[in-house]
Amino acid sequence: MIVELRFDAQRPRTWMLRAIRQIAAEHAQVCVRWISDGARSPAGLETLLDLERLLLRGGRRCDADALDPATIRSRDDTPTPDVVIDFTTAPHRAGDRPQLYLRPLYNGRAGENAVLDAILAGDLPMIEIRDEMSGAIVDGGHPSAEEADGLGGGLVTVMSRSITLLGAVVARGPRPMPALLARTEARTPVSPAAYLMCSLVQAIALRIYRLCCYSPHWRIGWRHVDDDGVWARGDLSGPSWQVVRSPATHFYADPFPVTWQGRTFVFFEDLDHRVGKGTISAIEFGTHGPIGEAIPVLEEPWHLSYPFLMTFDGALWMIPESSANRDVTLYKCIEFPHRWEPQATLLSGLELADATIVRRGGYYYLFGATRDGAGGYSDTLSIYYADHPLRPWQAHGSNPVLLDRVAARPAGNFIERHGRLLRPAQDCSNGYGCALTLIEVEELTPSSFRQSVRHVIGPGAEWPGRKLHTLNRSGRLEVIDGTTIQPRIKGLLQSRRSHTMPTSAADQAVGVRSLPSRKLSTAVGSDRHDLR
């Protein structure tokens, strides 16, 4: 297959090299044609991008930086392409007759200026892939903004996800747009200079906040319920949520409860702010709540979080999130709850976060948020399947099955309720992990997937804070998580007390109160959970 990429000759950028590599990786021969489409950049754009690199990224380069066009050779003598991918605003030529002629649109418009206008108006655009030969929209999605710092970061995020979608269409053909997606409401863009100034002010405010407080600081909530809890109500109402105590310098997140060998434990990510790397810990629960203190159960040289638990073959298994190591590893519980040993690498060589498995129709399906090297961490859902967890896993026929910041990244276990298969996901439309999306999976086979959003739940009076991104259940025990303000002085005072008080008294002093949280906005939603 021959794929011709058409780029704007006036604005060569580093992301174009990524486009060439990723499209070529789909077993395609790639050629490039530079096109002058006449579209003018906003005044002073390149200077502002240079200032962003110095002031926001400490001199680090990014894929929005200008590229020497000689780096990419344009050829006019290539054979007729099977597929044309056109990133410009130029109309297609009368002689073009490829099998597919794909053009990405941003809130309905083509070209880099459409991307910039959306970012300058305060949000990332929805991406649509249009086949210029038929006029049909053949794929699309809405990117998340965890990595969209400044104008350059936003541009890189959008172009990276455009490449993700285009690569999927080239490899697997057109597919219908997900019904959930809708274009962002049009707003008036600010000037690039005003945007940069606002980004700098927000970045300074965030740095000052992080000098005073641990950020983000996650905590786990729990309660006992006698019905289906959040799934039945579609909100957080009902019995009051209690907070799992944690040391002032640690945050607890991603709770997964399990009852095994007659005991109930909640496993979770335990991150020491002073170290910045997550490990897996567990705390036992009884009739009236937590029993004793948390105990460490699993640590690796790389960051771990989201300890998904499952049972099969008479044993208890865990898949902690380990995208920093670019694999999905299955651990077996050797001695409950504290001894775990790796048994198999289910997937390798990819960034896949928050692996969550469900058994359906004779197959095990593994859902996870994937990332192909750039852009956000929470907008792309991929599925893999196998007839047994320890046998080879195959990619779903439509991977990635979804690109949507509202309903892609897993947020806990699947459940079955009234014959329906349900899953929680993270709503990252206003930043990483800001809300929960409750979803019904309507179709799931090795080649098809369809889901619909039923509820979106954010923190509020029942659970104060800025974020909410995990929901799980074991028996009557229901657990969630969320963020709160945690001043660094608390950690300092606790550390001093632990050196001057008897151990038992120091242990009694460990804990956090349920604190209301205030909102601190960040540039284009750049707040992140931890190392991800």
Side-chain angles (χ1 to χ4, degrees):
M1 178 189 296
I2 299 174
V3 179
E4 181 178 279
L5 301 180
R6 297 182 181 177
F7 296 132
D8 184 348
Q10 277 73 48
R11 288 181 269 196
R13 301 201 185 279
T14 305
W15 65 259
M16 297 172 181
L17 295 173
R18 180 182 298 278
I20 294 170
R21 289 194 300 267
Q22 289 188 211
I23 300 300
E26 299 290 349
H27 310 291
Q29 177 185 338
V30 174
C31 57
V32 171
R33 187 181 300 274
W34 292 103
I35 303 290
S36 296
D37 62 7
R40 294 185 177 181
S41 298
L45 174 64
E46 302 307 323
T47 300
L48 288 171
L49 291 175
D50 288 341
L51 286 172
E52 276 192 356
R53 184 173 64 250
L54 293 174
L55 300 176
L56 292 181
R57 299 194 298 275
R60 289 182 292 107
R61 300 187 64 82
C62 77
D63 282 359
D65 291 333
L67 176 74
D68 181 354
T71 306
I72 303 175
R73 185 174 61 171
S74 177
R75 296 183 58 181
D76 297 321
D77 59 346
T78 55
T80 302
D82 301 294
V83 178
V84 170
I85 297 177
D86 195 339
F87 290 94
T88 76
T89 61
H92 70 269
R93 299 178 301 180
D96 287 329
R97 289 292 183 270
Q99 297 173 21
L100 277 176
Y101 188 126
L102 305 175
R103 190 191 302 269
L105 305 179
Y106 307 103
N107 288 347
R109 297 166 49 209
E112 182 179 285
N113 283 353
V115 180
L116 296 174
D117 283 348
I119 297 170
L120 293 172
D123 199 1
L124 301 183
M126 190 179 84
I127 305 167
E128 296 169 299
I129 307 300
R130 184 173 69 193
D131 179 10
E132 297 291 85
M133 306 303 292
S134 66
I137 301 299
V138 297
D139 209 339
H142 211 155
S144 61
E146 298 98 324
E147 293 293 287
D149 293 329
L151 197 58
L155 180 61
V156 171
T157 292
V158 174
M159 302 316 298
S160 298
R161 286 299 161 266
S162 300
I163 297 165
T164 300
L165 291 169
L166 289 161
V169 174
V170 170
R172 288 170 282 283
R175 56 187 179 178
M177 276 279 288
L180 173 67
L181 299 172
R183 291 178 185 170
T184 303
E185 182 181 350
R187 288 179 283 184
T188 303
V190 300
S191 71
Y195 185 89
L196 175 59
M197 183 61 65
C198 182
S199 296
L200 287 172
V201 170
Q202 290 176 334
I204 292 169
L206 182 60
R207 290 178 185 178
I208 292 173
Y209 176 72
R210 288 177 172 168
L211 286 173
C212 301
C213 300
Y214 294 120
S215 177
H217 187 80
W218 291 84
R219 57 182 185 162
I220 293 172
W222 68 273
R223 67 182 181 182
H224 287 122
V225 292
D226 294 314
D227 58 12
D228 286 342
V230 172
W231 286 104
R233 298 179 178 88
D235 57 38
L236 299 180
S237 63
S240 297
W241 295 95
Q242 307 297 316
V243 177
V244 175
R245 300 187 309 159
S246 66
T249 55
H250 288 235
F251 79 53
Y252 291 172
D254 299 341
F256 277 81
V258 66
T259 299
W260 187 253
Q261 297 176 350
R263 301 170 70 188
T264 297
F265 277 81
V266 173
F267 291 77
F268 54 89
E269 175 192 355
D270 181 349
L271 186 140
D272 186 336
H273 288 291
R274 299 164 298 182
V275 177
K277 179 174 73 74
T279 61
I280 305 302
S281 293
I283 188 167
E284 187 168 9
F285 270 70
T287 305
H288 303 292
I291 301 172
E293 301 297 328
I295 60 172
V297 300
L298 183 61
E299 182 175 2
E300 296 286 9
W302 49 87
H303 174 78
L304 298 176
S305 61
Y306 198 85
F308 172 78
L309 300 166
M310 65 184 300
T311 60
F312 66 87
D313 292 351
L316 179 64
W317 308 78
M318 180 195 297
I319 304 177
E321 190 271 308
S322 57
S323 61
N325 199 44
R326 296 183 61 82
D327 67 12
V328 178
T329 299
L330 180 68
Y331 292 76
K332 184 177 182 179
C333 186
I334 306 302
E335 186 175 350
F336 186 73
H338 60 275
R339 185 180 167 204
W340 299 77
E341 293 183 358
Q343 299 295 305
T345 299
L346 307 186
L347 298 166
S348 62
L350 79 168
E351 290 182 84
L352 186 146
D354 300 349
T356 307
I357 294 177
V358 64
R359 190 174 185 183
R360 196 78 169 172
Y363 289 102
Y364 290 85
Y365 291 92
L366 187 155
F367 285 57
T370 51
R371 182 172 181 261
D372 46 17
Y377 294 79
S378 306
D379 51 24
T380 307
L381 176 63
S382 294
I383 301 175
Y384 297 82
Y385 66 95
D387 58 9
H388 188 277
L390 293 175
R391 297 196 182 104
W393 289 78
Q394 306 294 321
H396 191 277
S398 296
N399 270 354
V401 299
L402 182 68
L403 198 158
D404 180 19
R405 62 192 186 183
V406 173
R409 186 165 181 155
N413 280 306
F414 287 78
I415 71 163
E416 289 200 36
R417 185 170 185 265
H418 303 319
R420 299 183 299 162
L421 182 63
L422 307 170
R423 62 179 290 258
Q426 294 189 36
D427 176 0
C428 298
S429 54
N430 292 311
Y432 173 81
C434 280
L436 279 172
T437 307
L438 305 186
I439 296 168
E440 180 179 354
V441 176
E442 298 169 325
E443 186 177 355
L444 179 59
T445 73
S447 59
S448 63
F449 172 72
R450 185 165 48 90
Q451 68 174 28
S452 295
V453 170
R454 298 304 182 216
H455 300 281
V456 176
I457 305 171
E462 299 92 353
W463 183 241
R466 291 187 55 238
K467 295 175 181 291
L468 172 68
H469 84 340
T470 308
L471 171 64
N472 275 309
R473 176 80 174 267
S474 178
R476 297 181 60 243
L477 177 61
E478 189 171 45
V479 292
I480 57 174
D481 61 7
T483 57
T484 189
I485 295 173
Q486 182 73 345
R488 289 177 179 267
I489 190 65
K490 283 192 173 184
L492 179 61
L493 293 175
Q494 179 187 307
S495 177
R496 288 180 175 176
R497 284 197 300 267
S498 67
H499 285 88
T500 59
M501 298 168 61
T503 301
S504 58
D507 289 343
Q508 292 171 5
V510 173
V512 297
R513 292 185 292 113
S514 179
L515 298 175
S517 179
R518 59 186 173 86
K519 184 173 182 180
L520 178 68
S521 60
T522 58
V524 200
S526 60
D527 192 12
R528 290 170 60 182
H529 172 21
D530 39 46
L531 300 183
R532 292 194 293 270

